[in-house]
Amino acid sequence: MISAVMPTYARADLAFERGAGCWLESVDGRRFLDFGAGVAVNALGHAHPRLVAALTAQAQKLWHCSNLYRVPGQERVAARLVEASFADTAFFCNSGAEAMECAIKMVRKYHDTTGTPERYRCITVEGAFHGRTLATIAAGGQEKHLKGFDPVVDGFDQVPFGNMNALRAAITGQTAAIIVEPVQGEGGIRPAETDYLKKLRLAADEFGLLLVFDEVQCGMGRTGSLFAYQQAGVAPDIMALAKGLGGGFPIGACLASERAAQGMTAGTHGSTFGGNPLAMAVAETVLDVMQEPGFLQEVARKGALLHDRLCLLVERHPSLLLSARGLGLMQGLVCKRPNGDIAEACYAQGLLTVLAGDNVLRILPPLIVTDEEILEGCAKLEAALAALESRGA
């Protein structure tokens, strides 16, 4: 018999009742150090006092009013995102997939508006993950996500990650855009080389394409800068955000330059719940915290500490781990044993991690994690690895 909750997830047998900071407490009273952060969503940890206060205050005033009217919170958050990025404008939605749908529609609308409607195809890269809608699974191009959902949405041509020769060879008269994650998350915490991102920008400019960065997971401070692209000094034309933007409250955003967004006029796109006052109150507070002096520098410093500790684990457990890689507090361990075995062993030690492609274990603590919690988390991870080794792994 099918469960009342549609069984579309392979869930661990864990249920949580409350959280505070980097810690979660399960319904049976066990405490877990959360190094998954809801897949990079809980950027400021659980029950952050300022987020709770902002949401509570807004809930007592106005929950929803629809996008038929001005939403002052949207105007404030959009202005701050624009000021902090390459963008001139922002569209608010509820998730990363919706943000990417907006990006894909914007690409097509741009070329239609500028007189080249035949240019509708987007080049994407292997290992990408852009969401779970029909268009975004087509953009991601992964068989495990596409299987059973034919016909695949047309308009996406995939090339190997980091390979400029293949990418340039794939450009045709129908190509409209290049879509890349500056750091692949689901694909296995694979940071793009700075030179690669620069060459993507050059190719986009040379062939009249739009450059789209998917920063749904790697954006909002996760890598030690507000947006990952800023470390490479390469600006896109369109960028998708979500996850950390709401610190746990559902929100997505699609940022764009004025040129890229010129076709997005009234009636071309919309969202019933996107950018509602509750989401905006939380996002504004997330920005308040992340833009305080020193916050992002601390993320970078703590990310370096975490990476060093993970590299030590790789040295100590060569039978189980191959390497550590990542940027900031977006780290991954490339595993030799199935990553699910290691994640399962971590549960027994009270540590939460997240699986990724390429047999990688994602380590994504909240950005407020302390040095002591990083050391404790790595100690729990080492205990999990030792337990596996003792069982003859």
Side-chain angles (χ1 to χ4, degrees):
M1 177 185 293
I2 193 169
S3 60
V5 176
M6 192 174 290
T8 59
Y9 299 100
R11 302 177 193 269
D13 187 19
L14 290 169
F16 297 103
E17 189 165 72
R18 60 175 56 86
C22 295
W23 294 85
L24 283 169
E25 184 176 321
S26 63
V27 294
D28 57 4
R30 288 179 290 164
R31 294 184 78 233
F32 290 81
L33 186 53
D34 187 2
F35 272 23
V39 194
V41 166
N42 297 96
L44 302 184
H46 300 278
H48 191 287
R50 291 171 64 177
L51 297 189
V52 172
L55 187 60
T56 301
Q58 185 59 50
Q60 291 171 340
K61 293 190 292 185
L62 181 66
W63 288 26
H64 181 74
C65 63
S66 103
N67 283 301
L68 293 173
Y69 312 102
R70 287 178 53 200
V71 181
Q74 283 189 26
E75 295 170 6
R76 290 194 299 272
V77 174
R80 292 181 63 173
L81 290 172
V82 163
E83 183 180 7
S85 73
F86 72 95
D88 300 308
T89 188
F91 174 85
F92 293 107
C93 48
N94 305 292
S95 68
E98 285 183 68
M100 282 304 301
E101 284 278 346
C102 178
I104 294 164
K105 287 181 68 176
M106 195 184 307
V107 163
R108 294 189 177 189
K109 196 66 175 174
Y110 167 81
H111 284 287
D112 182 76
T113 300
T114 56
T116 53
E118 72 279 6
R119 304 182 75 165
Y120 70 96
R121 306 191 69 82
C122 296
I123 296 178
T124 63
V125 299
E126 293 175 359
F129 181 79
H130 298 298
R132 296 278 192 170
T133 65
L134 285 173
T136 55
I137 61 174
Q142 297 194 40
E143 178 60 27
K144 64 182 178 182
H145 299 142
L146 290 167
K147 184 174 174 53
F149 296 109
D150 287 337
V152 176
V153 173
D154 184 36
F156 301 96
D157 301 304
Q158 202 158 56
V159 299
F161 181 73
N163 188 324
M164 281 305 301
N165 291 333
L167 186 141
R168 292 178 70 89
I171 296 172
T172 72
Q174 293 183 316
T175 304
I178 302 167
I179 301 176
V180 169
E181 299 157 276
V183 184
Q184 286 192 340
E186 187 77 16
I189 310 294
R190 295 200 296 172
E193 298 286 344
T194 295
D195 184 60
Y196 177 56
L197 295 177
K198 288 181 176 177
K199 288 178 177 175
L200 291 178
R201 180 71 268 175
L202 290 172
D205 293 341
E206 179 181 347
F207 292 97
L209 315 178
L210 294 177
L211 181 60
V212 180
F213 284 166
D214 179 343
E215 292 218 16
V216 167
Q217 186 168 153
C218 65
M220 296 310 298
R222 177 56 58 181
T223 64
S225 52
L226 192 58
F227 308 115
Y229 81 82
Q230 293 170 325
Q231 296 185 40
V234 178
D237 300 297
I238 301 170
M239 179 171 70
L241 297 174
K243 293 192 181 288
L245 179 58
F249 198 91
I251 178 174
C254 184
L255 277 57
S257 67
E258 183 173 9
R259 181 178 72 95
Q262 63 186 278
M264 303 302 282
T265 55
T268 56
H269 196 49
S271 169
T272 295
F273 298 106
N276 75 32
L278 295 172
M280 290 300 102
V282 175
E284 190 169 9
T285 306
V286 168
L287 283 169
D288 287 344
V289 175
M290 288 190 180
Q291 293 187 312
E292 287 180 346
F295 182 89
L296 294 172
Q297 289 85 345
E298 272 293 281
V299 172
R301 184 192 65 77
K302 291 182 289 192
L305 171 64
L306 175 60
H307 182 76
D308 289 347
R309 290 289 166 167
L310 295 178
C311 288
L312 283 176
L313 292 179
V314 173
E315 289 179 16
R316 291 173 181 165
H317 302 278
S319 67
L320 296 174
L321 302 175
L322 182 63
S323 63
R325 64 193 186 199
L327 279 178
L329 289 172
M330 187 176 184
Q331 297 288 326
L333 286 168
V334 185
C335 304
K336 290 183 177 177
R337 272 282 296 269
N339 54 4
D341 291 354
I342 298 177
E344 186 75 24
C346 287
Y347 292 149
Q349 301 300 326
L351 179 69
L352 303 179
T353 60
V354 184
L355 305 184
D358 203 23
N359 203 29
V360 163
L361 192 70
R362 273 181 281 187
I363 313 294
L364 306 165
L367 306 186
I368 59 163
V369 68
T370 65
D371 290 4
E372 292 73 22
E373 287 167 333
I374 288 173
L375 298 180
E376 184 170 354
C378 290
K380 289 177 178 292
L381 185 50
E382 176 140 45
L385 296 168
L388 280 173
E389 288 169 335
S390 70
R391 295 202 295 267

